[in-house]
């Protein structure tokens, strides 16, 4: 590694600290959990850091990277270290830390041989992200996004479960897999070391054209539905596999709460398109109530779909064991709607513009209370059920309270839309900052449908930074 | 040095199924301030992106500063600075992080100039890139380009989103940059007034094709807008002449004086009533209109 690669690596680690640090913490927990449960599984941590590194380290579609005088060797070495080297080192440190910690507190610890085997296995598996090209390159070569997502899903499951390779019967295959992985890792390192020609991928403007072929609300709904379907499958797969692999964990309410919390959080993140496009949507020639309702529908769509799927799977396949009680789902859905409607980030100017009413408190709720609140509400239902407090009347009271909360939140959103100030992240080419004020009667300024749709499409394609040639 | 700063040799680049750049042959002399103009979707950005290796030509050869692009891309990037509205620095967080990151790649980085430009353009090192206005992001890209000593400066719509003060600062900096005669600027913009004052060469492209190019003064001298009247029956197409407007027997013509003289027009039954020189914008509009499919039944302008 030369000085330039080291500098790039430092820059990357500094920029992506909020990505890899939580993953390191997650891996500490995964290793600890697998060792404590005495599962015959080999923890394969490091993969997610490797995949995250592969996705974030160097974007071949970004003009900044492409205009830099980077040699092929430096670029390849940098990518190898971000996808294999650094994740391997971090994972090794995770194993060492958990091993020392478990030994000190007297918890279950595998033999040094098994620990070393785990470390070697992690390094071996890191050959996968090291060898897989960047997603833009793969897309340019015709590799479908859903194939990549399936691969990432498989990696995630592998991370969560580990590989069932510590049983004596599987042992020879374990070492075979490690040997193959190390060979591939060495091959990727050699390839990175001796790369001597620069091959930036020839990326066509496919993303922009695909989006241009759609219009209206479909621009928002289609990607949302696609991501939701993947997310739902991930959630269901994860919870099913966790129960199957660790029956002991399944008995703990923690699993249900974690599941619901993940659904709440991820579904909020999935609606980023809608939130980001709020200023543009405000220009549509529809009233604020209609717009608020549509925004809400889009916002709660992912979480609701996952809940619905959970209920269906629970009914059809009772042996899977996703026995989330209906009241729990209902309460969680209310949480989802409420928090979706109050997702505006805290901003003093917005606060000053509308100091009264529920709007005043929603930033604080979102910033400080919403996650523990959601956790508490989700945990409260099973607690009530187990204490025997739950009754039909409690259920009705909860449902009524939730409904009132949602109606109140809807009007808060309408107020915000009327005030017309939303801090949003706009794509390049558009002004940034505050939206135009609306009509006094609450109707949005009319805009041509073509203009709004084009703006939405621009917004949706902003990640790809695609522009028409010219 | 006689080699051109940029030399497109029958370059062709297909993007999707509906746009093809070229075949494009274009030579930018060293020391020139070269304006690349064309309507939206003409292929200006595509051509400039090709210079930075963003996409590879399907056909042809590109030489930049005497280096062949396919072989010496890294060396070319060391000698070239590029500014585009598509440059996205948000991943680096703050302005200071971007500056510190980029400067490490260029030994010719001028720290004092960078700090001065940051001050003059009103950017703070601690500001977050994601919170900058669009114009401020362009300014940041310009600062990063002008803080070095590149041989070739490629500016793709650098005035987009800039206010009048920032635009004036930009052109003042660019004039300072051009103090060295070996340096070249290629600029693509829709600000014709600025381009006409600033650039000494121009090329007009549309739908991926080069329509005309040359020294700015020669181009503006070569084309004329003429008020004319037909004497008697209208004849056939006249090479080098296109109709911009027509009312009865009168018409406003765009005339390529290299292709046709006033005497030749008279011989074709066209009486020239008045003749006015063109601004770059008028020339652009006239040529684009004259070569458009919508130009109508009469002669499409012969350009080259």
């Amino acid at each position: 590694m030369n000085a330039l690669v080291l500098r790039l690596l430092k820059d990357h680690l500094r920029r992506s600290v909020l990505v890899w640090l939580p993953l390191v913490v997650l891996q500490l927990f995964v290793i600890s959990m697998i060792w404590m449960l005495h599962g015959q599984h080999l923890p394969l941590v490091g993969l997610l850091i490797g995949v995250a590194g592969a996705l974030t380290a160097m974007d071949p579609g970004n003009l900044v990277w492409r205009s830099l005088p980077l040699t092929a060797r430096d670029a390849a070495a940098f990518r190898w270290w971000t996808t294999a080297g650094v994740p391997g080192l971090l994972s090794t440190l995770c194993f060492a830390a958990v091993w020392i910690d478990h030994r000190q507190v007297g918890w279950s610890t595998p033999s040094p041989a098994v620990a070393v085997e785990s470390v070697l296995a992690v390094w071996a598996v890191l050959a996968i992200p090291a060898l897989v090209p960047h997603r833009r390159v793969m897309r340019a070569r015709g590799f479908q996004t859903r194939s990549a997502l399936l691969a990432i899903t498989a990696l995630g499951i592998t991370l969560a479960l580990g590989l069932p390779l510590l049983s004596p019967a599987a042992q020879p295959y374990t070492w075979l897999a490690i040997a193959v992985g190390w060979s591939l890792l060495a091959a990727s390192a050699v390839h990175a070391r001796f790369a001597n020609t620069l091959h930036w991928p020839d990326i066509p403007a496919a993303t922009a054209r695909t989006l241009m072929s759609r219009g209206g609300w479909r621009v928002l709904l289609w990607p949302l539905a696609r991501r939701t379907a993947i997310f739902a499958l991930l959630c269901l797969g994860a919870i099913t596999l966790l129960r199957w692999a660790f029956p002991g964990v399944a008995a703990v309410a923690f699993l249900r709460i974690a599941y619901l919390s993940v659904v709440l959080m991820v579904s909020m993140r999935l609606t980023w398109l809608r939130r980001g496009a709020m200023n543009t949507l405000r220009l549509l020639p529809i009233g604020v109530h209609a717009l608020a309702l549509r925004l809400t529908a889009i916002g709660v769509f992912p979480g609701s779909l996952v809940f619905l799927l959970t209920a269906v799977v629970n009914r059809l396949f009772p042996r899977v064991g996703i026995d989330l009680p209906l009241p729990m789902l209902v309460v969680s859905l209310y949480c989802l709607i409420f928090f979706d409607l109050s997702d505006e980030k805290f901003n003093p100017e917005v606060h000053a513009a509308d100091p009264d009413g529920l709007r005043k408190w929603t930033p604080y709720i979102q910033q400080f209370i919403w996650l523990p609140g959601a956790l508490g509400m989700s945990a409260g239902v099973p607690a009530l059920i187990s204490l025997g407090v739950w009754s039909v009347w409690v259920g009705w009271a909860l449902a009524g309270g939730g409904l009132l909360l949602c109606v109140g939140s809807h009007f808060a959103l309408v107020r915000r839309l009327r005030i017309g100030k939303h801090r949003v992240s706009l794509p390049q080419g558009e002004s940034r900052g505050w939206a135009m004020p609306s009509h006094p009667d609450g109707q949005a300024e009319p805009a041509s449908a073509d203009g709004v749709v084009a703006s939405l499409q621009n917004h949706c394609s902003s990640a790809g930074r695609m522009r028409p040639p010219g | 040095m006689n080699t051109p700063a940029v030399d497109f040799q029958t370059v062709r680049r297909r993007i999707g199924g509906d746009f093809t750049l070229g075949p494009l042959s274009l030579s930018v002399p060293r020391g020139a301030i070269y304006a690349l103009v064309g309507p939206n979707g003409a292929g200006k950005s595509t051509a400039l992106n090709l210079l930075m290796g963003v996409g590879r030509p399907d056909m042809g050869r590109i030489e930049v500063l005497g280096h062949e692009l396919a072989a010496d891309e890294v060396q070319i990037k060391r000698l070239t600075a590029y500014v585009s509205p598509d440059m996205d620095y948000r991943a680096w967080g703050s302005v200071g992080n971007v500056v510190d990151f980029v400067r490490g790649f260029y030994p010719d980085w001028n720290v004092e100039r960078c700090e001065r430009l940051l001050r003059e353009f009103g950017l703070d090192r601690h500001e977050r890139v994601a919170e900058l206005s669009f114009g401020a992001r362009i300014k940041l890209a310009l600062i990063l380009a002008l803080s070095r000593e590149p041989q070739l400066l490629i500016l793709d719509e650098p005035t987009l989103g800039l206010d009048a003060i920032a635009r004036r600062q930009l052109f003042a900096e660019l004039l300072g940059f051009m103090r060295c005669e070996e340096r070249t600027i290629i600029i693509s913009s829709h600000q014709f007034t600025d381009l006409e004052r600033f650039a000494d060469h121009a090329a007009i492209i549309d739908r991926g094709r080069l329509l005309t190019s040359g020294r700015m003064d020669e181009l503006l001298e070569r084309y004329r807008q003429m008020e004319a009247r037909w004497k008697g029956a209208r004849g056939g197409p006249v090479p080098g002449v296109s109709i911009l407007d027509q009312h009865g027997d009168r018409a406003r013509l765009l005339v390529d004086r290299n292709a046709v003289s006033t005497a030749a027009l008279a011989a074709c039954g066209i009486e020239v009533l008045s003749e006015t020189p063109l601004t770059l914008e008028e020339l652009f509009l006239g040529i684009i209109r004259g070569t458009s499919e919508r130009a109508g039944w009469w002669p499409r302008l012969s350009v080259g």
Side-chain angles (χ1 to χ4, degrees), chain B residues 102-171:
Chain B
V102 173
R103 82 173 184 194
F105 289 92
Y106 302 103
D108 56 352
W109 188 267
N110 188 324
V111 177
E112 288 80 20
R113 187 187 300 161
C114 178
E115 295 303 321
R116 178 177 63 78
L117 288 170
L118 281 171
R119 270 197 312 278
E120 289 182 0
F121 278 113
L123 289 181
D124 189 327
R125 290 180 70 94
H126 302 292
E127 278 183 285
R128 294 191 64 76
V129 178
E131 291 173 1
L132 293 178
S133 68
F134 179 70
R137 288 188 207 180
I138 294 274
K139 286 179 190 173
L140 176 60
L142 286 166
I143 290 167
L144 296 173
L146 294 171
S147 298
R148 303 164 39 209
E149 309 285 347
Q151 297 281 304
L152 172 65
L153 190 52
I154 300 171
L155 305 170
D156 186 5
E157 304 195 26
T159 53
L160 203 65
L162 293 191
D163 56 42
I165 300 167
R167 248 191 359 251
R168 180 163 289 199
Q169 279 175 331
L170 166 67
F171 284 109

Side-chain angles (χ1 to χ4, degrees), chain A residues 4 7-8 11 14-15 62-70 198 200 202 209 428-429 432 465 467 469-470, chain B residues 13 41 45-46 53-56 73-74 77-78 85-88 90-92 97 101 104 106 130 134 156:
Chain A
L4 179 62
R7 209 169 62 77
L8 287 172
D11 173 73
R14 183 187 54 73
R15 283 190 292 121
N62 189 327
L63 284 178
V64 177
W65 283 106
R66 297 191 73 138
S67 61
L68 290 174
L70 266 179
L198 187 61
W200 286 109
D202 197 3
R209 277 197 305 282
Q428 293 175 3
R432 185 180 172 80
R465 310 257 65 82
R467 287 193 313 157
Chain B
R13 159 82 170 161
S45 297
T46 305
V54 181
R56 285 182 283 278
E73 191 176 317
V74 174
K77 285 177 179 173
R78 284 201 184 102
D86 285 342
M87 300 186 92
D88 188 355
R90 283 177 297 180
W92 280 268
N97 285 344
F101 174 75
Y106 302 103
F134 179 70
D156 186 5

